[in-house]
Amino acid sequence: MMFVNFRRIRKCQCVQLMTTCLVLSVVMLFWEQLDNNRVVTHVKSYSYRYLVNSFTFINKSFIIPREEARSFSNFHYLLDHPDKCANQDVLLLLFVKTSPENTERRKAIRSTWGNETYIQNTLSVTVKVVFALGAPHAKPAEEEHLQKELFLEDRLHGDLIQQDFTDSFHNLTLKLILQFHWAHNRCAHAHFLMTADDDIFVHMPNLVSYLQDVARRGVTDFWIGRVHRGAPPIRRKDSKYFVPYEMYSWSSYPDYTAGAGYVVSRDVVDKIYQATLALNASIYIDDVFMGICANAMRVSPQDHVFFSGEGKAPYHPCIYDQMMTSHGHIEDIYDLWREATHPQVKQRTSGLIGRLYCTAVKLTLLCKPYYFNTYPCKAAFL
Ligand SMILES: *[C@@H]1O[C@H](CO)[C@@H](O)[C@H](O)[C@H]1NC(C)=O
Ligand SMILES: *[C@@H]1O[C@H](CO)[C@@H](O)[C@H](O)[C@H]1NC(C)=O
Ligand SMILES: *[C@@H]1O[C@H](CO)[C@@H](O)[C@H](O)[C@H]1NC(C)=O
């Protein structure tokens, strides 16, 4: 009797052990799965971000001799407009990051949200919209053809700022440096600098009135957009954003704004310019490098709920009334521009009834229980 019991217990323990093993391996499997979804990495980097907080190592490890830092900025201008901002009170210098072949996108921007004449006439402010690009990268004959097209396009519109580095994803940081150097050398008196992707939509009237208000308050150290806090470097080699340990060895990046669209004040332009004269710019993710420069100069980004980052805004007048930027617009840009700036938007969204209606609409559009990459839920209450 005793013996049987003992054996049964041992059998039980064995089953228990096996079950535990099984559960553990399933958990491990899921853990792997989770890590593939970068949950674990994010928890790690987030804790790191709030434990370390100051990121003082940035200053030490990225400073290089000035002559070496210059190698990231001493490219020749193939196209330039030194007098673009001269003798004008420029509220905003807006740099669109583009590539030689994206002719249609530039055309769409010029005739919608980036139309300087329209902005001047209807909003009574000067906004300069210019395009930052590198040299075409293709077969030699094709390259020559593309560059000729660019010369023609620029003769027509006078808004291309081009340097002779290869225009490629891994040279985006050079494009960032181009923008800050050009802004510093040619347009330092502009109140604000914005940098934007060529597939975003900017609600120019909303942005202009917001920036006019910021300028009136004399705000400095201003850097606004969709903030990434405690973002982890991506270590999977198959990712577009892969960064090796030799390039950045810590678990988390300093805070930065999504490169799709952000705005800085002119004092920040000067600080970032100074940082680019001293820092190692070989990290090729441009918005991360911006975060590194800003951290070295003690500038922190602020979040604005209506800057969408990589997200796309829902189509609705209640959203148009407050939106600043929205990402991923190419074909729909003409329609969106017409609808978002229609006078009826203001009529439908103003007054007590309009505001209540819009709160309800935004709650249903933005506060979904599952993840939906757009403005955050709290935007519904503004
Ligand atoms: C820009 O706006 C002006 C004035 O509203 C208009 O006359 C002009 O055609 C527009 N430019 C383009 C490229 O659409
Ligand atoms: C970046 O541009 C430089 C200068 O044109 C070029 O030598 C280099 O190959 C480019 N890098 C990439 C990754 O395209
Ligand atoms: C800049 O950083 C890269 C690694 O990201 C490194 O290989 C290179 O030597 C550094 N440059 C200088 C001048 O220290």
Side-chain angles (χ1 to χ4, degrees):
M1 190 64 186
M2 195 67 188
F3 182 72
V4 173
N5 241 347
F6 196 63
R7 268 185 61 173
R8 192 174 283 160
I9 287 168
R10 279 181 59 168
K11 208 171 146 191
C12 264
Q13 274 182 338
C14 201
V15 170
Q16 232 174 25
L17 200 72
M18 275 167 61
T19 324
T20 313
C21 279
L22 194 78
V23 169
L24 266 177
S25 17
V26 170
V27 167
M28 290 289 274
L29 259 175
F30 266 105
W31 196 257
E32 286 280 292
Q33 206 69 29
L34 280 175
D35 208 30
N36 271 344
N37 292 328
R38 287 168 283 145
V39 172
V40 178
T41 327
H42 271 93
V43 170
K44 215 172 85 186
S45 71
Y46 217 70
S47 341
Y48 187 84
R49 152 74 174 75
Y50 285 99
L51 281 176
V52 173
N53 206 338
S54 64
F55 283 73
T56 41
F57 56 81
I58 295 273
N59 216 336
K60 297 189 196 88
S61 44
F62 280 83
I63 289 181
I64 54 173
R66 299 220 151 204
E67 311 79 65
E68 292 184 45
R70 199 152 43 224
S71 69
F72 297 103
S73 64
N74 65 352
F75 295 96
H76 292 289
Y77 283 101
L78 298 172
L79 293 167
D80 189 13
H81 299 278
D83 299 327
K84 191 82 184 168
C85 293
N87 310 318
Q88 293 174 80
D89 182 20
V90 180
L91 178 72
L92 173 66
L93 169 66
L94 201 159
F95 256 115
V96 180
K97 297 175 272 185
T98 188
S99 295
E101 64 279 11
N102 292 352
T103 323
E104 286 302 316
R105 295 188 187 187
R106 291 191 289 277
K107 189 174 157 210
I109 290 171
R110 285 187 195 105
S111 41
T112 58
W113 59 262
N115 182 338
E116 290 176 357
T117 319
Y118 171 90
I119 298 166
Q120 188 79 60
N121 292 351
T122 58
L123 308 171
S124 313
V125 291
T126 304
V127 172
K128 293 289 165 190
V129 181
V130 287
F131 296 90
L133 66 173
H137 181 55
K139 294 190 202 85
E142 217 172 303
E143 258 173 30
E144 212 171 297
H145 173 72
L146 266 169
Q147 188 59 41
K148 254 187 214 140
E149 298 270 290
L150 287 173
F151 280 129
L152 290 176
E153 182 182 336
D154 187 60
R155 195 173 307 156
L156 211 58
H157 302 286
D159 56 5
L160 303 184
I161 309 294
Q162 185 190 29
Q163 278 185 338
D164 65 352
F165 58 81
T166 308
D167 195 294
S168 68
F169 176 77
H170 286 99
N171 268 343
L172 272 176
T173 299
L174 301 182
K175 205 175 275 178
L176 178 89
I177 293 172
L178 155 67
Q179 296 167 65
F180 279 87
H181 281 232
W182 195 90
H184 178 267
N185 294 328
R186 314 273 201 230
C187 201
H189 59 287
H191 291 267
F192 299 96
L193 167 69
M194 177 168 189
T195 161
D197 282 350
D198 62 1
D199 60 345
I200 75 162
F201 179 82
V202 178
H203 197 297
M204 199 51 89
N206 289 353
L207 180 68
V208 161
S209 76
Y210 171 64
L211 292 180
Q212 281 176 314
D213 183 53
V214 175
R216 220 171 285 129
R217 287 185 284 123
V219 178
T220 55
D221 277 341
F222 177 81
W223 175 21
I224 206 145
R226 169 62 58 92
V227 180
H228 289 302
R229 284 182 214 286
I234 294 179
R235 308 298 191 191
R236 285 173 297 125
K237 287 214 170 74
D238 58 340
S239 168
K240 189 175 163 191
Y241 299 100
F242 166 70
V243 165
Y245 283 94
E246 307 82 68
M247 196 167 268
Y248 192 91
S249 54
W250 301 279
S251 305
S252 159
Y253 290 133
D255 297 351
Y256 65 92
T257 50
Y262 56 86
V263 182
V264 296
S265 52
R266 63 180 160 204
D267 55 305
V268 174
V269 173
D270 186 57
K271 287 179 182 173
I272 300 302
Y273 169 79
Q274 297 301 337
T276 64
L277 299 180
L279 300 186
N280 186 341
S282 50
I283 186 156
Y284 39 66
I285 302 177
D286 59 334
D287 34 7
V288 167
F289 183 67
M290 171 69 188
I292 289 172
C293 291
N295 188 274
M297 305 311 284
R298 302 284 172 269
V299 177
S300 320
Q302 303 161 51
D303 218 12
H304 188 298
V305 290
F306 285 104
F307 276 74
S308 73
E310 306 303 322
K312 190 170 192 167
Y315 301 101
H316 198 283
C318 291
I319 298 289
Y320 305 154
D321 186 40
Q322 290 172 296
M323 74 189 299
M324 293 289 169
T325 72
S326 177
H327 189 252
H329 297 279
I330 299 174
E331 269 89 45
D332 61 346
I333 196 164
Y334 294 93
D335 292 336
L336 183 55
W337 173 245
R338 195 167 349 97
E339 278 158 34
T341 56
H342 200 285
Q344 259 188 356
V345 169
K346 283 275 173 264
Q347 285 162 26
R348 279 178 65 183
T349 56
S350 59
L352 183 61
I353 305 290
R355 284 203 305 275
L356 282 174
Y357 163 73
C358 277
T359 303
V361 167
K362 285 186 287 177
L363 276 169
T364 62
L365 289 174
L366 306 177
C367 303
K368 305 207 164 153
Y370 49 89
Y371 183 64
F372 176 53
N373 193 12
T374 180
Y375 305 122
C377 177
K378 64 180 176 217
F381 303 98
L382 295 174

